[in-house]
Amino acid sequence: MGIGADGWSGLSEQAQALVLGADVVLGAPRQLDYLPPEVDGVPWPSPLLPALDAFIAEHEGQRICVLASGDPFLSGVGTTLVAHGYEVDAFPALSSVTLARARLGWSAEETEVVTLVGRSSARVARVLAPRRRVLVLGADATALRSLLTVRGYGESELFALENLGGPEERITDGWAGEPGPLTVFALECVGPALPLIGIPDDVYAHDGQLTKRDLRVSALSRLAPSPGELLWDVGAGAGSVGIEWSRLHGLNRAVAIERDAERAERIGRNAVDLGVPELEVVTGEAPEVLSALPAPDAVFIGGGVTVAGVLETCVATGARVVAHGVTVEAEQVLARAYAEHGGELVRIGVERAAPLGGFTGWTPARVVTQWSSR
């Protein structure tokens, strides 16, 4: 049962009857305080997730009503219950997102929603772009302000919308004060543009082991990411391919596999800086560590293609595979893969204009051989 900040009086007669007719009512203490005295509510255990199934089992055979804030399926407990296999009849109230857009006059089509409930504030960085409108749920005010300032978005308009729909609703300057826990932040972005893919090389922290921008875009075009897919980035270096795969859509997932511990730590920092803190970093040797990973939809091999078993293990997953090599030995491995599996084999040479005496000349980078399967 969705319930808003207007409490019990905000529920329809039908909704009130359903709550009163339940054998047990579960919810957060704040939500239970909305109920009339004759309803004996039971607060959730804390932390909730580890204890959820045992807690529900205590009420087996009873008609259970669960209170949720607004829409149960917007960063809500409804999503959690369904994911745990429970049958749910949902009765949503107006969500905080709907109320926030109504107050600001923002359309659903032009508004990005980022939830930080149980997540890192770094997720906001992925959606920052000039003139973009963003609603942020569950943000810590200090962390959000700091992130925006560091990312060059300190001139953006930031609103704090507190207790939406309730008697204590108010909208204030999000850059000042300490808003309460029931606050949605609204952001009208003013700041520098950063592409989702093809990010300039100097944005990444790296030690030279980086898939350069032109090669990265070529690889991603053949990896062909779709929303919700999982990528293995094998021999990840600075993590650029996995990071840009993840930036393309909020549901995309990536695992960066890197044997060097210092580089692995650097990948984690790059992922946070570029707004995809959920990117998983696995420190270890391929192909040994690959067997413990969930099956991928696509695999990029940026390093280690000559290591015995790496390419074979990745191809055996049935995923789309893109592999790069810069040595004669690596090229031989990729040529054999092309002969055996087909796909596409290309050599990519990039030259950049640079000063040459008083003129301008071309400076070539190492030629990279790229094999991609379908």
Side-chain angles (χ1 to χ4, degrees):
M1 181 62 65
I3 189 167
D6 49 0
W8 182 254
S9 63
L11 296 180
S12 67
E13 289 186 8
Q14 178 196 19
Q16 291 181 357
L18 287 168
V19 176
L20 293 172
D23 297 315
V24 60
V25 180
L26 309 179
R30 173 182 56 81
Q31 297 161 342
L32 296 175
D33 286 343
Y34 292 142
L35 304 181
E38 63 266 27
V39 179
D40 187 17
V42 180
W44 288 115
S46 181
L48 173 59
L49 290 181
L52 176 63
D53 293 323
F55 189 72
I56 295 289
E58 294 177 13
H59 305 284
E60 187 175 357
Q62 295 180 296
R63 182 170 175 78
I64 301 172
C65 175
V66 173
L67 299 181
S69 294
D71 181 351
F73 292 100
L74 179 65
S75 297
V77 70
T79 304
T80 302
L81 291 170
V82 170
H84 278 246
Y86 296 107
E87 227 175 273
V88 173
D89 292 323
F91 300 87
L94 287 176
S95 71
S96 57
V97 167
T98 298
L99 291 168
R101 288 192 294 98
R103 302 298 186 264
L104 298 167
W106 291 3
S107 72
E109 295 81 5
E110 67 182 0
T111 305
E112 180 85 15
V113 179
V114 179
T115 178
L116 303 184
V117 178
R119 298 172 174 90
S120 168
S121 60
R123 299 181 82 239
V124 175
R126 186 184 71 83
V127 303
L128 294 178
R131 299 176 299 282
R132 199 167 198 184
R133 289 175 166 175
V134 183
L135 294 178
V136 185
L137 311 181
D140 173 81
T142 301
L144 178 61
R145 293 165 185 161
S146 174
L147 180 143
L148 294 174
T149 302
V150 169
R151 296 287 174 272
Y153 279 77
E155 298 299 316
S156 302
E157 281 198 274
L158 184 65
F159 305 98
L161 298 92
E162 301 181 62
N163 303 304
L164 287 168
E168 298 179 358
E169 177 181 314
R170 64 173 188 159
I171 302 175
T172 59
D173 179 5
W175 289 107
E178 291 301 324
L182 299 182
T183 299
V184 176
F185 287 93
L187 176 69
E188 288 203 88
C189 294
V190 177
L194 188 67
L196 291 175
I197 63 170
I199 294 172
D201 296 340
D202 59 7
V203 172
Y204 289 96
H206 65 90
D207 60 358
Q209 293 298 310
L210 171 74
T211 300
K212 301 297 193 296
R213 177 168 53 178
D214 299 291
L215 297 169
R216 194 184 319 138
V217 172
S218 174
L220 283 162
S221 71
R222 289 166 172 82
L223 288 167
S226 291
E229 289 192 319
L230 173 66
L231 171 76
W232 288 357
D233 184 359
V234 181
S240 60
V241 172
I243 287 170
E244 295 189 17
W245 167 284
S246 301
R247 281 174 57 83
L248 282 169
H249 195 278
L251 294 177
N252 284 4
R253 298 169 297 138
V255 180
I257 299 96
E258 174 55 55
R259 67 180 181 179
D260 183 276
E262 185 175 347
R263 287 178 186 155
E265 189 273 337
R266 190 182 293 119
I267 292 170
R269 285 192 280 113
N270 282 330
V272 168
D273 288 344
L274 290 165
V276 287
E278 290 91 354
L279 182 140
E280 181 181 354
V281 182
V282 174
T283 306
E285 295 273 357
E288 289 79 11
V289 299
L290 302 180
S291 60
L293 301 180
D297 299 289
V299 180
F300 176 66
I301 309 173
V305 74
T306 58
V307 176
V310 168
L311 186 61
E312 294 81 358
T313 299
C314 295
V315 169
T317 65
R320 306 182 297 275
V321 177
V322 175
H324 285 181
V326 296
T327 65
V328 171
E329 292 79 7
E331 189 172 83
Q332 291 171 343
V333 171
L334 298 180
R336 286 195 296 270
Y338 175 67
E340 184 175 349
H341 302 289
E344 184 181 19
L345 187 68
V346 298
R347 299 186 79 199
I348 304 172
V350 177
E351 298 184 12
R352 290 185 172 82
L356 183 63
F359 299 91
T360 301
W362 293 103
T363 301
R366 286 185 184 275
V367 173
V368 172
T369 300
Q370 180 189 77
W371 175 67
S372 56
S373 75
R374 300 185 185 87

Tab-separated table of all heavy atoms in Angstrom, residues 96-98 100-102 104-114 127 131-137 184-188:
chain	number	residue	atom	x	y	z
A	96	SER	N	7.054	10.457	-5.132
A	96	SER	CA	7.772	11.714	-4.915
A	96	SER	C	8.231	12.308	-6.235
A	96	SER	O	8.301	13.543	-6.388
A	96	SER	CB	8.974	11.475	-3.994
A	96	SER	OG	9.841	10.489	-4.542
A	97	VAL	N	8.547	11.450	-7.217
A	97	VAL	CA	8.969	11.939	-8.529
A	97	VAL	C	7.821	12.654	-9.230
A	97	VAL	O	7.993	13.739	-9.802
A	97	VAL	CB	9.486	10.768	-9.386
A	97	VAL	CG1	9.627	11.171	-10.850
A	97	VAL	CG2	10.832	10.279	-8.855
A	98	THR	N	6.629	12.056	-9.184
A	98	THR	CA	5.459	12.690	-9.801
A	98	THR	C	5.160	14.040	-9.156
A	98	THR	O	4.909	15.036	-9.839
A	98	THR	CB	4.239	11.764	-9.682
A	98	THR	OG1	4.505	10.548	-10.386
A	98	THR	CG2	2.999	12.413	-10.262
A	100	ALA	N	7.258	15.962	-7.462
A	100	ALA	CA	8.338	16.915	-7.738
A	100	ALA	C	8.185	17.516	-9.128
A	100	ALA	O	8.320	18.743	-9.319
A	100	ALA	CB	9.689	16.234	-7.598
A	101	ARG	N	7.899	16.689	-10.115
A	101	ARG	CA	7.724	17.215	-11.473
A	101	ARG	C	6.528	18.164	-11.554
A	101	ARG	O	6.557	19.164	-12.267
A	101	ARG	CB	7.567	16.057	-12.462
A	101	ARG	CG	8.865	15.286	-12.719
A	101	ARG	CD	8.748	14.348	-13.914
A	101	ARG	NE	7.797	13.259	-13.671
A	101	ARG	CZ	6.540	13.253	-14.079
A	101	ARG	NH1	6.058	14.294	-14.756
A	101	ARG	NH2	5.756	12.215	-13.817
A	102	ALA	N	5.465	17.815	-10.804
A	102	ALA	CA	4.287	18.686	-10.801
A	102	ALA	C	4.607	20.054	-10.206
A	102	ALA	O	4.144	21.086	-10.704
A	102	ALA	CB	3.162	18.015	-10.016
A	104	LEU	N	7.496	21.557	-10.179
A	104	LEU	CA	8.472	22.288	-10.992
A	104	LEU	C	7.995	22.528	-12.419
A	104	LEU	O	8.603	23.313	-13.152
A	104	LEU	CB	9.792	21.507	-11.038
A	104	LEU	CG	10.500	21.297	-9.699
A	104	LEU	CD1	11.601	20.261	-9.840
A	104	LEU	CD2	11.059	22.603	-9.176
A	105	GLY	N	6.935	21.824	-12.838
A	105	GLY	CA	6.481	21.932	-14.214
A	105	GLY	C	7.386	21.209	-15.186
A	105	GLY	O	7.497	21.597	-16.360
A	106	TRP	N	8.019	20.139	-14.739
A	106	TRP	CA	8.916	19.353	-15.589
A	106	TRP	C	8.162	18.157	-16.153
A	106	TRP	O	7.483	17.432	-15.416
A	106	TRP	CB	10.119	18.851	-14.793
A	106	TRP	CG	11.080	19.914	-14.365
A	106	TRP	CD1	10.973	21.258	-14.552
A	106	TRP	CD2	12.307	19.696	-13.666
A	106	TRP	NE1	12.060	21.904	-14.009
A	106	TRP	CE2	12.900	20.975	-13.453
A	106	TRP	CE3	12.964	18.573	-13.193
A	106	TRP	CZ2	14.107	21.131	-12.788
A	106	TRP	CZ3	14.167	18.722	-12.533
A	106	TRP	CH2	14.743	19.989	-12.338
A	107	SER	N	8.315	17.900	-17.434
A	107	SER	CA	7.661	16.740	-18.042
A	107	SER	C	8.443	15.467	-17.726
A	107	SER	O	9.656	15.495	-17.475
A	107	SER	CB	7.564	16.916	-19.554
A	107	SER	OG	8.843	16.774	-20.151
A	108	ALA	N	7.734	14.341	-17.768
A	108	ALA	CA	8.388	13.054	-17.542
A	108	ALA	C	9.418	12.778	-18.630
A	108	ALA	O	10.481	12.195	-18.379
A	108	ALA	CB	7.349	11.938	-17.496
A	109	GLU	N	9.096	13.215	-19.862
A	109	GLU	CA	9.964	12.893	-20.998
A	109	GLU	C	11.337	13.562	-20.893
A	109	GLU	O	12.330	13.032	-21.402
A	109	GLU	CB	9.294	13.327	-22.314
A	109	GLU	CG	8.010	12.589	-22.648
A	109	GLU	CD	6.801	13.126	-21.929
A	109	GLU	OE1	6.932	14.156	-21.214
A	109	GLU	OE2	5.718	12.539	-22.069
A	110	GLU	N	11.399	14.714	-20.247
A	110	GLU	CA	12.660	15.470	-20.224
A	110	GLU	C	13.386	15.368	-18.889
A	110	GLU	O	14.390	16.049	-18.678
A	110	GLU	CB	12.376	16.944	-20.537
A	110	GLU	CG	11.559	17.654	-19.465
A	110	GLU	CD	11.236	19.089	-19.809
A	110	GLU	OE1	11.634	19.549	-20.885
A	110	GLU	OE2	10.576	19.752	-18.994
A	111	THR	N	12.903	14.504	-18.001
A	111	THR	CA	13.475	14.439	-16.661
A	111	THR	C	14.148	13.093	-16.416
A	111	THR	O	13.531	12.042	-16.589
A	111	THR	CB	12.386	14.655	-15.590
A	111	THR	OG1	11.716	15.888	-15.849
A	111	THR	CG2	12.993	14.682	-14.199
A	112	GLU	N	15.409	13.140	-16.034
A	112	GLU	CA	16.152	11.931	-15.646
A	112	GLU	C	15.995	11.747	-14.145
A	112	GLU	O	16.061	12.707	-13.372
A	112	GLU	CB	17.634	12.096	-15.987
A	112	GLU	CG	18.497	10.903	-15.638
A	112	GLU	CD	18.511	9.837	-16.700
A	112	GLU	OE1	18.089	10.117	-17.837
A	112	GLU	OE2	18.957	8.717	-16.402
A	113	VAL	N	15.787	10.498	-13.720
A	113	VAL	CA	15.651	10.193	-12.300
A	113	VAL	C	16.811	9.296	-11.885
A	113	VAL	O	17.071	8.262	-12.510
A	113	VAL	CB	14.314	9.484	-11.996
A	113	VAL	CG1	14.212	9.158	-10.508
A	113	VAL	CG2	13.139	10.359	-12.421
A	114	VAL	N	17.520	9.702	-10.843
A	114	VAL	CA	18.630	8.913	-10.306
A	114	VAL	C	18.329	8.594	-8.850
A	114	VAL	O	18.093	9.511	-8.050
A	114	VAL	CB	19.975	9.672	-10.412
A	114	VAL	CG1	21.105	8.837	-9.821
A	114	VAL	CG2	20.275	10.026	-11.853
A	127	VAL	N	24.919	11.142	-15.389
A	127	VAL	CA	23.836	11.822	-16.114
A	127	VAL	C	24.062	13.318	-16.267
A	127	VAL	O	23.217	14.012	-16.840
A	127	VAL	CB	22.482	11.570	-15.414
A	127	VAL	CG1	22.202	10.084	-15.306
A	127	VAL	CG2	22.438	12.219	-14.032
A	131	ARG	N	22.103	21.588	-19.593
A	131	ARG	CA	20.660	21.784	-19.778
A	131	ARG	C	19.817	20.574	-19.390
A	131	ARG	O	18.611	20.569	-19.586
A	131	ARG	CB	20.330	22.207	-21.222
A	131	ARG	CG	20.968	23.533	-21.644
A	131	ARG	CD	20.684	23.831	-23.092
A	131	ARG	NE	21.220	22.811	-23.990
A	131	ARG	CZ	22.490	22.720	-24.330
A	131	ARG	NH1	23.391	23.574	-23.844
A	131	ARG	NH2	22.890	21.777	-25.153
A	132	ARG	N	20.426	19.568	-18.821
A	132	ARG	CA	19.652	18.391	-18.437
A	132	ARG	C	18.933	18.645	-17.112
A	132	ARG	O	19.449	19.324	-16.228
A	132	ARG	CB	20.583	17.190	-18.287
A	132	ARG	CG	19.850	15.856	-18.345
A	132	ARG	CD	20.797	14.719	-18.518
A	132	ARG	NE	20.117	13.529	-18.985
A	132	ARG	CZ	20.708	12.351	-19.147
A	132	ARG	NH1	21.986	12.220	-18.880
A	132	ARG	NH2	20.027	11.315	-19.576
A	133	ARG	N	17.725	18.076	-16.985
A	133	ARG	CA	16.965	18.146	-15.746
A	133	ARG	C	17.007	16.795	-15.054
A	133	ARG	O	16.686	15.760	-15.656
A	133	ARG	CB	15.521	18.553	-16.034
A	133	ARG	CG	15.398	20.010	-16.453
A	133	ARG	CD	13.982	20.373	-16.851
A	133	ARG	NE	13.831	21.821	-16.930
A	133	ARG	CZ	12.728	22.431	-17.339
A	133	ARG	NH1	11.671	21.713	-17.715
A	133	ARG	NH2	12.668	23.746	-17.368
A	134	VAL	N	17.392	16.799	-13.786
A	134	VAL	CA	17.617	15.561	-13.047
A	134	VAL	C	16.938	15.636	-11.687
A	134	VAL	O	17.053	16.651	-10.982
A	134	VAL	CB	19.134	15.309	-12.845
A	134	VAL	CG1	19.365	13.977	-12.123
A	134	VAL	CG2	19.872	15.331	-14.180
A	135	LEU	N	16.235	14.582	-11.323
A	135	LEU	CA	15.721	14.418	-9.964
A	135	LEU	C	16.566	13.360	-9.263
A	135	LEU	O	16.799	12.278	-9.818
A	135	LEU	CB	14.257	13.975	-9.977
A	135	LEU	CG	13.241	14.982	-10.531
A	135	LEU	CD1	11.848	14.373	-10.507
A	135	LEU	CD2	13.271	16.285	-9.746
A	136	VAL	N	17.013	13.668	-8.054
A	136	VAL	CA	17.881	12.774	-7.301
A	136	VAL	C	17.168	12.341	-6.026
A	136	VAL	O	16.767	13.183	-5.208
A	136	VAL	CB	19.227	13.456	-6.955
A	136	VAL	CG1	20.167	12.450	-6.282
A	136	VAL	CG2	19.883	14.024	-8.215
A	137	LEU	N	17.015	11.034	-5.854
A	137	LEU	CA	16.326	10.484	-4.690
A	137	LEU	C	17.341	9.928	-3.704
A	137	LEU	O	18.317	9.283	-4.094
A	137	LEU	CB	15.374	9.356	-5.109
A	137	LEU	CG	14.434	9.629	-6.279
A	137	LEU	CD1	13.555	8.418	-6.539
A	137	LEU	CD2	13.594	10.857	-6.026
A	184	VAL	N	13.594	15.332	-2.093
A	184	VAL	CA	14.002	15.082	-3.473
A	184	VAL	C	14.779	16.299	-3.946
A	184	VAL	O	14.319	17.436	-3.766
A	184	VAL	CB	12.780	14.854	-4.389
A	184	VAL	CG1	13.218	14.698	-5.842
A	184	VAL	CG2	11.997	13.629	-3.937
A	185	PHE	N	15.955	16.074	-4.531
A	185	PHE	CA	16.735	17.171	-5.084
A	185	PHE	C	16.464	17.271	-6.580
A	185	PHE	O	16.426	16.259	-7.280
A	185	PHE	CB	18.232	16.977	-4.830
A	185	PHE	CG	18.639	17.215	-3.406
A	185	PHE	CD1	18.698	16.162	-2.508
A	185	PHE	CD2	18.945	18.487	-2.962
A	185	PHE	CE1	19.065	16.375	-1.184
A	185	PHE	CE2	19.306	18.713	-1.644
A	185	PHE	CZ	19.365	17.657	-0.758
A	186	ALA	N	16.269	18.487	-7.046
A	186	ALA	CA	16.031	18.744	-8.467
A	186	ALA	C	17.165	19.604	-9.003
A	186	ALA	O	17.518	20.625	-8.416
A	186	ALA	CB	14.687	19.444	-8.664
A	187	LEU	N	17.714	19.185	-10.136
A	187	LEU	CA	18.920	19.799	-10.671
A	187	LEU	C	18.686	20.228	-12.117
A	187	LEU	O	18.277	19.424	-12.953
A	187	LEU	CB	20.066	18.789	-10.605
A	187	LEU	CG	21.419	19.166	-11.193
A	187	LEU	CD1	22.081	20.255	-10.371
A	187	LEU	CD2	22.315	17.930	-11.260
A	188	GLU	N	18.909	21.511	-12.387
A	188	GLU	CA	18.958	22.002	-13.766
A	188	GLU	C	20.429	22.243	-14.087
A	188	GLU	O	21.043	23.182	-13.568
A	188	GLU	CB	18.127	23.259	-13.929
A	188	GLU	CG	16.631	23.006	-13.878
A	188	GLU	CD	15.824	24.092	-14.569
A	188	GLU	OE1	15.607	23.976	-15.789
A	188	GLU	OE2	15.415	25.034	-13.886
